[in-house]
Amino acid sequence: MKFTYLFKSLAFLLLLGVSASTQAQEISAMQAPRVVSPEVADDHSVTFRVLSEKATEVTLNGSWMGFGTTLPLTKGEQGVWSLTIDPLPSSMYHYNFFVDGVALIDPTNSQALRDGTRYASLLMVPGEESEVFQLNDTPHGDISQVWYNSPSLEVDRRMYVYTPPGYASGKDSYPVLYLLHGAGGDEDAWTSLGRANLILDNLIASGKSKPMIVVMTNGNAWQTSTLRNIPGQPVPTRETRAQYQGKFEKSLVEDVVPYIEKNYRVKADKDHRALAGLSMGGGHTITASINYPGTFGYIGVFSSGIFDANADMAEMEKKFIALKDSGVSKYWVACGKEDFVMESNKRLLAMLDKTGFEHEYFENEGGHTWANWRTYLSMFAPMLF
Amino acid sequence: MKFTYLFKSLAFLLLLGVSASTQAQEISAMQAPRVVSPEVADDHSVTFRVLSEKATEVTLNGSWMGFGTTLPLTKGEQGVWSLTIDPLPSSMYHYNFFVDGVALIDPTNSQALRDGTRYASLLMVPGEESEVFQLNDTPHGDISQVWYNSPSLEVDRRMYVYTPPGYASGKDSYPVLYLLHGAGGDEDAWTSLGRANLILDNLIASGKSKPMIVVMTNGNAWQTSTLRNIPGQPVPTRETRAQYQGKFEKSLVEDVVPYIEKNYRVKADKDHRALAGLSMGGGHTITASINYPGTFGYIGVFSSGIFDANADMAEMEKKFIALKDSGVSKYWVACGKEDFVMESNKRLLAMLDKTGFEHEYFENEGGHTWANWRTYLSMFAPMLF
């Protein structure tokens, strides 16, 4: 079938008198796109379709449905399985099909997302609420995949650096937000799933946020990067994780911050450094900020908290007080009502209350989701600098 | 099943006394990883596995098998379908499964590749031949996703820019290779499928190539970038393609080259500019080089040629002579013996012969594949500058 497609394309371009060569993708069009999926109707109901004459069961799981739940598609004419769901609120979602129990991305949807080791198909329901993370007609910042040496971890590692529109051709210095992902993620997560670059593009364009650099590291201290097949990279066993405990926070402050301040045009002081993270990255944020008071003037903790109920709270209290005394312009905490980390989140809030640490708390619907983390970033960034 | 996994992870980290929060990926582990796939044996035979009790048919297509061919997996114990293939030469491959006719990426393989609108799973067979495109323990260059204004196309567009190790912290100026993808690809193709950054890292580290900047544009002039959902971005119909004919080449020379030379530390003359492309990008290379003689001193045409047998050859001949007279240090042409573009490739070679244009030609096994394009880049880059 590949040859057919190739020659059709070729014939078609020759027909046009196009003098360039043509070539279809090397990854074959394995399934002719005889169905459209997903199809978002004007009322925001969504129809999913899968073409299979032979399947005995096709189901769907979507990020709006809750964990482990599936809905069945129904087989119709010519082997087209379909399902139409009720209108969804404007947002960005992801989903997988299961054909006879095997998980897959939608073969007719060209947009897939990677979350760590897993893939899902993207579903965008347009509307006002999703405007802040769309690619709109504004100036765009650049994203660089940057390799830096980490003396703390004794490896070269990779991070993503967002520079705001105008950085490349300008002379200005900028403040920096260090933005940390959760467990299972990597340095790619905040741009691919979190759309942090688009959120910043939009907030800067509308004047809601100051132009800033955003640094997105890899919080898995045993990895050099999301790239796999790296000789000598330890497998993250329990022992590996234990061995690396606390090392990411050290490498962030002692390796990453100096690298950024040496190689980018930045304002290199506490009042122009912010630190925020989600889930595990919120834990990293708490630890790095109390271990290095005076480094970050703005702190954001998303869907996280103090996880270890048996931690030495007296010792931690001293550290929070030292951080408070170092001068923090904003300590912002956010969590969803249904988030499974709520108890940990409450421990953080109790610690802030107990130490008289001025802070703001935002609680919304939903749980431990990228929909919430995109919202939190779009609320936090305008508070900075 | 998601909750189980979340709470297991949480309990496990609490057990370790890890004070950071934890969280599994939001994209669920839809299928427990009860099988290993792919498994490369010491003799380089490969076993593929899919878990499905209910499927009636599971097949495989791999990039080593040829277009449209599939091999059946056999159902074994506990619903595990498997297939072991004969040893493969050391290289990078990709494959898809078909479960009851539906194409999917391997759900247990964390490495997938995107080629335009399609996804496939990555298979790496290690060995000497693939060393040049592995992530080895060398210094790594950075990749930036750069937005630039294109006056020729009247939009902001995105490209990828590789800067060699040492660029960020150094002061040196570098030569530039402009590297173009084929039809169906975009600005991401040369790094994700072509591994151009890793090839350059390795060639530079071994002293085989001079350090250089590599600029990878989006050759689809009607797109601003690989990113979809862009308001106002034309759908590439026949009419669109016809309307945009020749415009990419113009924007490359008149928009991209000036942007790079303004914003990067480069040696801005013909003898430090190279242009190469594969397939459609080879066509772009031919057109841009003859339309702008004196711009590029090094030219590489991979798996391409003069596609339009009805083109005005007398006019083209004049242009090739003007290009020759402008001073080209290297004109390098490469094609696979089984490549479907061979006739077009021969027309290019005939033109070079007829105009007395000094050139080198490399012909190898295989066809229109990324395996060949990675090889061609790893041969071409050492010839430059």
Side-chain angles (χ1 to χ4, degrees):
Chain A
M1 77 186 77
K2 173 70 181 243
F3 265 113
T4 314
Y5 180 47
L6 283 171
F7 286 129
K8 264 191 196 156
S9 303
L10 190 56
F12 144 61
L13 283 185
L14 288 176
L15 201 73
L16 287 177
V18 172
S19 62
S21 84
T22 185
Q23 167 255 339
Q25 293 119 295
E26 201 199 340
I27 296 177
S28 306
M30 292 298 187
Q31 179 174 312
R34 285 165 51 192
V35 299
V36 174
S37 180
E39 188 175 8
V40 182
D42 288 344
D43 69 352
H44 290 182
S45 62
V46 186
T47 300
F48 301 90
R49 296 183 181 90
V50 176
L51 177 67
S52 176
E53 286 285 2
K54 292 180 189 162
T56 54
E57 181 190 83
V58 180
T59 62
L60 165 85
N61 172 273
S63 56
W64 61 93
M65 289 167 53
F67 303 132
T69 323
T70 58
L71 287 172
L73 280 73
T74 307
K75 192 173 183 178
E77 300 284 307
Q78 297 185 301
V80 177
W81 298 70
S82 69
L83 168 68
T84 299
I85 60 166
D86 289 343
L88 286 173
S90 162
S91 189
M92 174 174 148
Y93 304 93
H94 53 79
Y95 65 98
N96 290 91
F97 291 132
F98 301 83
V99 172
D100 292 332
V102 182
L104 55 141
I105 55 175
D106 185 340
T108 68
N109 182 342
S110 66
Q111 299 185 84
L113 291 168
R114 182 180 64 84
D115 188 7
T117 60
R118 299 166 201 157
Y119 292 81
S121 294
L122 185 146
L123 170 63
M124 190 69 77
V125 179
E128 201 182 327
E129 297 81 352
S130 67
E131 274 298 296
V132 73
F133 54 82
Q134 301 291 352
L135 183 72
N136 294 316
D137 190 16
T138 66
H140 303 298
D142 297 341
I143 299 170
S144 297
Q145 300 174 357
V146 173
W147 288 88
Y148 65 99
N149 182 255
S150 169
S152 304
L153 298 170
E154 299 179 340
V155 287
D156 286 355
R157 309 191 78 221
R158 198 175 73 155
M159 61 184 161
Y160 283 21
V161 179
Y162 169 88
T163 49
Y167 180 90
S169 58
K171 301 274 178 208
D172 289 349
S173 291
Y174 294 88
V176 184
L177 165 61
Y178 295 86
L179 187 59
L180 312 181
H181 65 79
D186 54 49
E187 69 268 32
D188 185 66
W190 260 113
T191 49
S192 63
L193 293 148
R195 297 169 82 95
N197 53 318
L198 301 178
I199 291 172
L200 267 293
D201 284 352
N202 290 318
L203 292 174
I204 293 168
S206 65
K208 288 179 184 158
S209 285
K210 294 207 168 62
M212 65 184 82
I213 290 171
V214 183
V215 175
M216 293 156 280
T217 49
N218 181 319
N220 310 306
W222 55 89
Q223 283 186 334
T224 66
S225 119
T226 181
L227 299 167
R228 308 277 186 320
N229 281 341
I230 301 176
Q233 181 162 294
V235 176
T237 59
R238 289 181 185 208
E239 291 70 28
T240 308
R241 287 172 193 265
Q243 178 194 337
Y244 278 92
Q245 191 189 331
K247 291 197 176 175
F248 170 72
E249 295 91 328
K250 181 175 157 66
S251 75
L252 175 70
V253 177
E254 299 189 10
D255 304 339
V256 174
V257 172
Y259 182 94
I260 293 296
E261 298 188 350
K262 177 166 179 259
N263 292 300
Y264 290 82
R265 299 192 315 270
V266 300
K267 295 179 177 168
D269 59 64
K270 167 177 71 73
D271 294 331
H272 297 93
R273 285 189 210 111
L275 177 61
L278 72 91
S279 196
M280 178 182 83
H284 288 153
T285 296
I286 293 169
T287 307
S289 60
I290 61 176
N291 283 352
Y292 296 88
T295 305
F296 302 101
Y298 297 82
I299 295 165
V301 180
F302 309 162
S303 299
S304 189
I306 297 172
F307 267 73
D308 183 359
N310 301 313
D312 181 343
M313 289 296 176
E315 177 64 20
M316 203 177 277
E317 203 177 309
K318 279 186 204 160
K319 288 184 163 187
F320 267 90
I321 289 168
L323 175 63
K324 180 181 73 166
D325 292 346
S326 75
V328 171
S329 301
K330 179 75 71 179
Y331 202 113
W332 195 72
V333 180
C335 197
K337 285 188 175 66
E338 291 87 43
D339 199 315
F340 71 94
V341 304
M342 186 53 85
E343 285 310 306
S344 305
N345 176 59
K346 283 182 177 163
R347 272 195 288 274
L348 171 63
L349 295 172
M351 176 64 77
L352 293 167
D353 285 337
K354 191 171 185 192
T355 55
F357 205 131
E358 194 180 329
H359 63 279
E360 289 174 28
Y361 177 55
F362 174 72
E363 193 173 279
N364 64 342
E365 299 302 319
H368 214 69
T369 65
W370 275 105
N372 272 351
W373 302 325
R374 283 187 292 267
T375 298
Y376 299 159
L377 176 61
S378 68
M379 295 175 71
F380 184 62
M383 300 174 189
L384 300 180
F385 314 123
Chain B
M1 75 186 80
K2 174 70 180 238
F3 265 114
T4 313
Y5 180 49
L6 282 171
F7 285 129
K8 265 192 199 156
S9 303
L10 191 55
F12 144 63
L13 283 185
L14 289 176
L15 200 72
L16 287 177
V18 172
S19 61
S21 82
T22 186
Q23 167 254 338
Q25 294 118 296
E26 202 198 340
I27 296 177
S28 306
M30 291 301 187
Q31 178 174 315
R34 283 165 53 191
V35 300
V36 174
S37 180
E39 187 175 7
V40 182
D42 289 343
D43 70 351
H44 291 181
S45 62
V46 186
T47 301
F48 301 90
R49 296 185 182 90
V50 176
L51 178 67
S52 177
E53 286 285 2
K54 292 179 188 160
T56 55
E57 181 189 83
V58 181
T59 62
L60 166 84
N61 173 272
S63 56
W64 61 93
M65 287 167 52
F67 304 133
T69 323
T70 56
L71 286 172
L73 280 73
T74 307
K75 191 173 184 179
E77 300 282 308
Q78 296 186 301
V80 178
W81 298 70
S82 68
L83 169 67
T84 300
I85 60 166
D86 289 342
L88 286 173
S90 161
S91 189
M92 175 173 149
Y93 304 93
H94 53 78
Y95 65 98
N96 288 91
F97 290 132
F98 302 83
V99 171
D100 291 332
V102 182
L104 55 140
I105 56 175
D106 184 340
T108 68
N109 182 344
S110 65
Q111 300 184 84
L113 292 167
R114 181 180 65 82
D115 188 7
T117 60
R118 300 166 200 157
Y119 292 81
S121 294
L122 185 145
L123 169 63
M124 190 68 76
V125 179
E128 201 182 326
E129 298 81 353
S130 66
E131 274 298 297
V132 73
F133 53 81
Q134 300 293 351
L135 183 71
N136 294 316
D137 188 17
T138 65
H140 303 297
D142 297 341
I143 300 169
S144 296
Q145 300 174 358
V146 173
W147 287 88
Y148 65 99
N149 182 256
S150 169
S152 303
L153 298 170
E154 298 179 340
V155 287
D156 286 354
R157 308 192 79 223
R158 197 175 75 153
M159 61 183 160
Y160 282 20
V161 180
Y162 168 88
T163 49
Y167 180 90
S169 57
K171 300 275 178 206
D172 290 349
S173 291
Y174 294 88
V176 183
L177 165 62
Y178 295 85
L179 187 60
L180 313 181
H181 65 80
D186 54 48
E187 69 268 32
D188 185 65
W190 261 114
T191 50
S192 63
L193 293 149
R195 295 168 83 95
N197 54 318
L198 301 179
I199 290 172
L200 267 293
D201 284 352
N202 290 319
L203 292 174
I204 293 168
S206 66
K208 288 178 185 158
S209 286
K210 294 208 170 60
M212 65 183 83
I213 291 171
V214 183
V215 175
M216 294 157 280
T217 49
N218 182 319
N220 311 305
W222 55 89
Q223 282 186 334
T224 66
S225 119
T226 180
L227 298 167
R228 309 285 190 311
N229 281 339
I230 301 177
Q233 180 163 296
V235 176
T237 59
R238 289 181 185 210
E239 291 68 27
T240 308
R241 287 172 193 263
Q243 179 193 336
Y244 278 92
Q245 193 189 331
K247 291 197 176 174
F248 169 72
E249 295 91 326
K250 179 174 157 69
S251 75
L252 175 69
V253 177
E254 299 188 10
D255 304 340
V256 174
V257 172
Y259 182 92
I260 293 296
E261 298 187 351
K262 175 164 180 260
N263 292 299
Y264 289 81
R265 300 192 314 271
V266 301
K267 295 178 177 167
D269 59 65
K270 166 178 72 71
D271 294 331
H272 297 93
R273 287 189 209 109
L275 177 61
L278 72 90
S279 195
M280 178 182 84
H284 288 153
T285 296
I286 293 169
T287 308
S289 60
I290 61 177
N291 283 352
Y292 296 88
T295 305
F296 302 101
Y298 297 83
I299 294 164
V301 180
F302 309 162
S303 299
S304 189
I306 297 171
F307 267 73
D308 184 358
N310 302 315
D312 182 343
M313 289 297 175
E315 176 64 19
M316 203 177 279
E317 202 176 310
K318 280 186 204 160
K319 288 184 164 189
F320 266 90
I321 289 168
L323 175 62
K324 181 181 75 165
D325 292 345
S326 74
V328 171
S329 302
K330 178 76 70 178
Y331 202 113
W332 194 73
V333 180
C335 196
K337 285 186 174 66
E338 291 85 45
D339 199 316
F340 72 93
V341 304
M342 186 52 83
E343 285 310 306
S344 304
N345 176 58
K346 284 181 178 163
R347 272 195 288 273
L348 171 62
L349 294 172
M351 177 63 78
L352 293 168
D353 284 337
K354 189 168 185 191
T355 53
F357 206 130
E358 194 180 329
H359 63 279
E360 288 174 30
Y361 177 54
F362 174 72
E363 193 172 279
N364 64 342
E365 300 301 318
H368 214 70
T369 65
W370 276 105
N372 272 351
W373 302 325
R374 284 187 291 267
T375 298
Y376 300 159
L377 176 61
S378 67
M379 294 175 70
F380 184 62
M383 300 173 189
L384 300 179
F385 313 122

